């Protein structure tokens, strides 16, 4: 007996061509396998991802833009719990200097729940809802930057990566890094090595510089008073970005394009 879309959590009665067969195929795949689906607009890919929500631990759908989350995964037809980027949520703490501040500028970035009114934070409230959800959607940047998405207890059985042909661009954007001399001086980073040819050997020089840069940021962070929350927040973000690039370079040094020194930006 063929099941209807409603048996898979979809809010309609009829399957699109091939949609049921693909849903059953995916649900029958062994854990850890990877499937690439190429299908035209209107073929029901979002509904297919929602159908995976019937699995024991549900589904996480990743997208690039807020518009896709709103129009596709946020519609009543599919009912995903959505977590947008932090800049989409207001940040009301009295310490903020202006009313339009968002959660992206949180002064407690290192530990947002430690804020005195964390229980009123729209971002943290929605984050808790999404973490507990079996059918959820995030953007790629949030998925890559969040610690909880890497923990087994918060993993879903299925991970849908929308617009997968753009993944290489997402990876480069995430691990790529540009540090200008003004940033180097501001954060007391080491002198730049001179690197004008992108080779594996020169990539190693950048890795060495990143080692020193991370240490410099850690020292500056340790010497910054807790009362200077905004500065500590910026240092924490910088350390995280440096660490991501450092890790990627160490793993795949020969795959990188690197330049450093007086003419690097030019």
């Amino acid at each position: 007996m063929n099941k209807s879309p409603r048996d898979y959590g979809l809010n309609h009665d009829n399957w699109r061509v091939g949609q049921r067969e693909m849903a059953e195929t995916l649900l029958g795949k062994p854990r850890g396998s990877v499937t690439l689906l190429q299908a035209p607009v209107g073929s029901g890919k979002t509904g297919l991802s929602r159908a995976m929500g019937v699995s024991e631990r549900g589904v996480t759908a990743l997208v690039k833009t807020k518009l896709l989350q709103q129009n596709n995964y946020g519609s009543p037809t599919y009912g995903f719990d959505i977590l947008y980027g932090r800049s989409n949520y207001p940040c009301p703490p009295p310490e903020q200097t202006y009313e339009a501040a968002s959660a992206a500028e949180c002064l407690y970035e290192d530990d947002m729940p430690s804020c005195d009114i964390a229980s009123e934070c729209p971002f943290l409230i929605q984050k808790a809802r999404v973490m507990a959800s079996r059918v959820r959607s995030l953007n790629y940047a949030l998925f890559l930057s969040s610690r909880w998405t890497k923990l087994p207890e918060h993993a879903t059985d299925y991970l849908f990566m929308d617009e997968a042909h753009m993944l290489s661009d997402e990876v480069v954007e995430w691990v790529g890094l540009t540090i200008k001399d003004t940033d180097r001086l501001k954060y007391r980073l080491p002198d730049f090595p001179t690197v004008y040819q992108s080779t594996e050997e020169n990539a190693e020089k950048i890795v060495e510089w990143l080692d020193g840069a991370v240490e410099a940021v850690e020292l500056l962070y340790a010497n910054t008073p807790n009362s200077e929350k905004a500065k500590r927040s910026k240092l924490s973000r910088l350390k995280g970005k440096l660490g991501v690039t450092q890790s990627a370079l160490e793993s795949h040094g020969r795959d990188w394009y690197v330049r450093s020194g007086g003419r690097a930006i030019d």
Side-chain angles (χ1 to χ4, degrees):
M1 178 178 175
N2 292 335
K3 293 184 177 181
S4 75
R6 294 187 184 276
D7 293 320
Y8 290 85
L10 301 175
N11 191 27
H12 51 81
D13 297 314
N14 298 308
W15 293 105
R16 300 186 187 187
V17 176
Q19 195 178 33
R20 177 182 60 80
E21 292 82 357
M22 192 62 209
E24 292 175 349
T25 298
L26 290 180
L27 287 169
K29 291 282 184 178
R31 179 170 289 181
S33 61
V34 176
T35 300
L36 298 180
L37 171 64
Q38 182 176 349
V41 174
S43 58
K45 296 187 292 295
T46 305
L48 183 63
S49 65
R50 176 62 181 85
M52 299 302 100
V54 301
S55 62
E56 182 180 350
R57 298 182 66 179
V59 60
T60 299
L62 303 181
V63 300
K64 182 175 177 64
T65 67
K66 178 183 178 181
L67 186 62
L68 270 177
Q69 283 183 295
Q70 287 178 319
N71 293 347
N72 293 1
Y73 298 94
S75 71
T77 302
Y78 303 115
F80 278 76
D81 287 309
I82 294 180
L83 185 61
Y84 299 116
R86 292 190 304 165
S87 61
N88 293 281
Y89 301 90
C91 184
E95 299 98 304
Q96 291 288 5
T97 57
Y98 60 101
E99 293 183 1
S102 72
E105 301 156 281
C106 179
L107 299 179
Y108 295 83
E109 181 168 348
D110 292 339
D111 186 14
M112 290 180 71
S114 68
C115 175
D116 292 340
I117 55 174
S119 60
E120 302 173 29
C121 174
F123 173 76
L124 290 181
I125 291 171
Q126 183 63 13
K127 177 183 174 182
R129 182 179 294 119
V130 170
M131 288 174 67
S133 174
R134 294 174 58 257
V135 183
R136 62 195 183 207
S137 174
L138 314 171
N139 63 43
Y140 283 102
L142 193 57
F143 178 80
L144 289 167
S145 62
S146 299
R147 297 186 185 93
W148 67 269
T149 58
K150 319 296 190 305
L151 300 176
E153 59 264 35
H154 294 303
T156 52
D157 283 333
Y158 289 87
L159 179 68
F160 264 71
M161 291 178 282
D162 209 311
E163 303 288 348
H165 64 287
M166 302 290 288
L167 283 178
S168 58
D169 292 340
E170 291 295 325
V171 171
V172 170
E173 184 177 333
W174 173 243
V175 300
L177 177 66
T178 297
I179 297 290
K180 298 181 180 180
D181 203 45
T182 51
D183 299 319
R184 185 186 67 79
L185 295 173
K186 179 179 180 180
Y187 296 109
R188 307 175 191 175
L189 305 180
D191 290 337
F192 293 131
T194 299
V195 171
Y196 295 135
Q197 290 185 329
S198 192
T199 64
E200 188 172 2
E201 180 181 356
N202 282 338
E204 292 177 358
K205 293 181 181 179
I206 302 298
V207 171
E208 293 176 2
W209 181 87
L210 286 166
D211 285 335
V214 169
E215 290 180 4
V217 173
E218 288 178 339
L219 180 62
L220 187 56
Y221 182 90
N223 291 326
T224 300
N226 290 333
S227 58
E228 296 184 32
K229 296 183 177 66
K231 183 177 180 180
R232 288 173 66 88
S233 179
K234 290 180 180 178
L235 288 169
S236 178
R237 284 198 298 270
L238 177 59
K239 177 188 173 184
K241 188 62 176 174
L242 290 168
V244 167
T245 304
Q246 179 185 32
S247 177
L249 263 172
E250 289 174 338
S251 302
H252 302 282
R254 66 180 59 190
D255 299 326
W256 277 70
Y257 174 79
V258 296
R259 282 177 72 89
S260 175
R263 292 185 285 117
I265 299 297
D266 297 334

